Structures are given as structure tokens and as C-alpha cells.
Amino acid sequence: MHRDELTRWVGDTDAFLDGHWRTAPAVFRPGTGTGSGTGTAARPAAPLSLEEIDAAVAGGLLRVPHLELARAGDPVHSSRYTRSRTVAGVTTPGYADPHRVRELLAEGATLVLRNVEHWHPATRALTRRMEAELGRRVEAFFFVTPPGAQGLDLHRDDADVLLLQGTGSKHWTVRGGPAGPDWSPGEVADAGPALLSDTLRPGEVLYIPRGFAHEAVGGEGLSSHLSLTIREAGTQQLFASLQRLLLDGLPLPARPLDDDALHAAAELLLERFRTRLPELTAEALLDHARRAQLAEGAVPGLGADPGIAALAARLDAPRDPAANAA
């Protein structure tokens, strides 16, 4: 299949998937063929600019948890950068206060915009393209970090991460992944020696495999970068998909009234399992779990047709006299 968007980020997609995916971090420097990754002919597009972020924050409608300020070793409580707004007599907390946000940025905090695809159409279009190419749910996060600042301590993410440096520079250190399957995302005290230590500049891309510990410090200028987190289905999603694949359409009574009815329901369940389970493959189960995860992450209404403007145009269109006569 064609992976045009992924190619813009990592260059040779076959080399990326064979040599780095889930196994090794890499830096991709477009057009140079240098660094720990393979060069690519064209830079990936940055769908969100600092000017758009300014406008979004200044508009005052961004709220926690879509907006957050973080500082390694010194968490920033939301009360320090948000305020309440009263609409139609209802007071709701958690709205961004533009003045406080800028003050904390100037003091060394990192601005984190979570799930940008929820409210920014161009970013949503990018995540959809990546989802179509990778077959996995993709979410977008945007980070703005002052020089010398660190937003998060050494931590692991429960996702593969592709990040694009937008402005300024940032120094990244990536260490090893989990030792076994029973691990949790979040801060870690130690993750072994550095596998990658490099500074990203505008237009450069870093790939961090799922679970590999990492941390970063702002370099020259105001650093901004877009992170695409590529989610993978887990055992909970597999279990939920197994239930759906085996039980969808089964007419089970909601509340059997006596022992005989309850026994009949149990027999019905067992018969369905005996019939469908031998036909089910691990590949089909995993595919269903991934598609279900994609559906769960869909943003209702964003970019949908007809939309309000299209509806207005349809209502304003001249009516057919013949239709009225009928």
C-alpha cells in the first residue's frame, strides 16, 4: 500500500518499518540522508503554527485537559493558569487564562496541548491520513518549551511516537524499552544507558518506539514540536473484540426468570462459542480490535458533511416551482 504521509516523515518506509518500528529510536533529517535515520526528499507538513496556538489560547475557550502546563519536578496546578467562565448563569472552571499561560511559559513551564485533532481540522486531517496508512489510532499533541526547560521527567509512553520539530531546538535522550509485558506508562527512575542522544531542529523528525523511556530539554529559541502518538490495541481491546465477534446478534434474554431459563441461556452461550470459536483467527481478532480502537477515537462531526454552512446553503437555494406545485 502507498504510505505517502509516513514517507514525508521518515523517508524510506520499508527501511523504517523493518529497521526501527518497535525496536530502535531514530532521527530523520529531510533531504540530507544524515543522522540515525534515513533522509527523505520532502519535509513533513506542520499543520499547526505558533500563531494559531496564540489565537486559540487568546480566544479563551481552550480548557483543561486539552491544555496543560508542565514542569519536570515541579508540577503546575491548573489553578495557576486557568479561570472560570460564567455563561447563562452557569460557572464552569478550567478555561485557559492567556496572561497566566504566557507568564508561566516565560518562567520555564512547558505548554502541552492534548488531542489537538479534537479541535484543529488540519491536524485532524493529518492524523486521519496516518491512521489510514498505519491501521492504528493516531492522536496529536503539541509542546512549547522555553530554552533550558524540561516539561516531563524520564518517562515511558504507551504508544509509538513520531514527533516533528517546528521551531527552536530540543535535545532528546531515549533509553531502553520495558523488560517484559507487565509494564506501565509514566515516570521511571532508571532505564539503562542512552540509545539515542540528539538535538532536533526545525523540520527534523524523531521516532520513539512504544515504551522506550525518554526525556527532552529545550535548546535554542522557543522550542515547539508536534507529537503523533500511534496507539496499539492491548489485551483489554482484544477481550472486548472477542466478546463482540462471538456474541453479536445472539438473542440472550436480559433477566431470565427461573433456573430453567438461566440454564437455557448458558447453553445458548456455549453453543455459540462452540460454533464460532473454531472459525476465529488471531489475525481477525487483532484486526477487529484495532478497527474498534480507531472508531473509539473518531471525532464526531469534525469535517462531516453537510455541516452547518452546507445546511444553510441548501436552505437558501432557490426552490423548484415544479416541486412546490406537486
Side-chain angles (χ1 to χ4, degrees):
M1 67 174 292
H2 293 291
R3 292 190 172 94
D4 295 338
E5 188 61 51
L6 184 61
T7 298
R8 280 188 279 271
W9 287 65
V10 303
D12 186 335
T13 56
D14 289 336
F16 167 70
L17 294 172
D18 292 340
H20 297 288
W21 180 250
R22 295 281 165 84
T23 60
V27 172
F28 301 90
R29 294 189 163 91
T32 66
T34 62
S36 57
T38 304
T40 175
R43 293 175 181 269
L48 183 63
S49 67
L50 289 177
E51 290 75 17
E52 288 177 291
I53 292 174
D54 266 340
V57 174
L61 294 182
L62 277 180
R63 293 186 59 198
V64 173
H66 278 117
L67 172 141
E68 178 182 311
L69 282 157
R71 185 155 41 197
D74 182 20
V76 183
H77 193 273
S78 61
S79 62
R80 295 183 59 191
Y81 55 87
T82 62
R83 56 179 296 180
S84 298
R85 288 181 175 266
T86 302
V87 180
V90 178
T91 300
T92 307
Y95 287 95
D97 183 314
H99 179 68
R100 293 178 183 174
V101 168
R102 293 189 187 99
E103 278 189 338
L104 286 165
L105 263 175
E107 293 171 7
T110 289
L111 172 63
V112 184
L113 298 179
R114 300 183 178 277
N115 290 102
V116 179
E117 77 280 2
H118 286 181
W119 55 270
H120 189 255
T123 300
R124 180 55 184 161
L126 168 61
T127 59
R128 280 178 172 167
R129 291 194 298 271
M130 280 292 198
E131 285 176 343
E133 293 181 9
L134 295 171
R136 293 166 175 83
R137 179 172 161 186
V138 178
E139 300 171 341
F141 298 75
F142 201 91
F143 295 78
V144 182
T145 304
Q150 183 172 348
L152 301 172
D153 285 319
L154 184 69
H155 66 283
R156 303 187 191 276
D157 290 326
D158 191 13
D160 292 271
V161 179
L162 276 171
L163 62 91
L164 168 66
Q165 189 71 22
T167 63
S169 66
K170 202 166 196 178
H171 186 83
W172 290 85
T173 303
V174 183
R175 302 181 187 276
D182 296 320
W183 63 281
S184 299
E187 292 185 9
V188 292
D190 181 34
L195 303 179
L196 181 148
S197 180
D198 207 338
T199 298
L200 257 64
R201 294 178 172 79
E204 298 178 344
V205 171
L206 171 65
Y207 168 66
I208 304 172
R210 179 183 179 210
F212 278 49
H214 56 278
E215 58 186 335
V217 179
E220 298 175 354
L222 187 66
S223 168
S224 66
H225 76 266
L226 175 71
S227 283
L228 299 182
T229 60
I230 305 160
R231 304 291 181 187
E232 182 58 281
T235 50
Q236 289 183 339
Q237 286 82 15
L238 289 173
F239 182 69
S241 285
L242 180 63
Q243 288 181 300
R244 294 190 186 102
L245 287 168
L246 293 177
L247 302 179
D248 272 0
L250 185 65
L252 279 175
R255 297 176 182 84
L257 294 176
D258 54 35
D259 285 351
D260 288 343
L262 191 60
H263 186 272
E267 285 287 2
L268 194 60
L269 274 171
L270 288 172
E271 182 58 30
R272 173 60 68 89
F273 273 60
R274 294 187 191 105
T275 302
R276 289 197 174 179
L277 196 56
E279 304 170 354
L280 186 61
T281 65
E283 290 77 10
L285 179 60
L286 181 55
D287 179 67
H288 187 281
R290 285 172 174 163
R291 286 188 286 108
Q293 190 178 51
L294 278 170
E296 289 170 2
V299 181
L302 186 59
D305 189 29
I308 297 173
L311 177 61
R314 181 170 63 82
L315 294 175
D316 289 341
R319 296 183 180 275
D320 184 350
N324 289 338

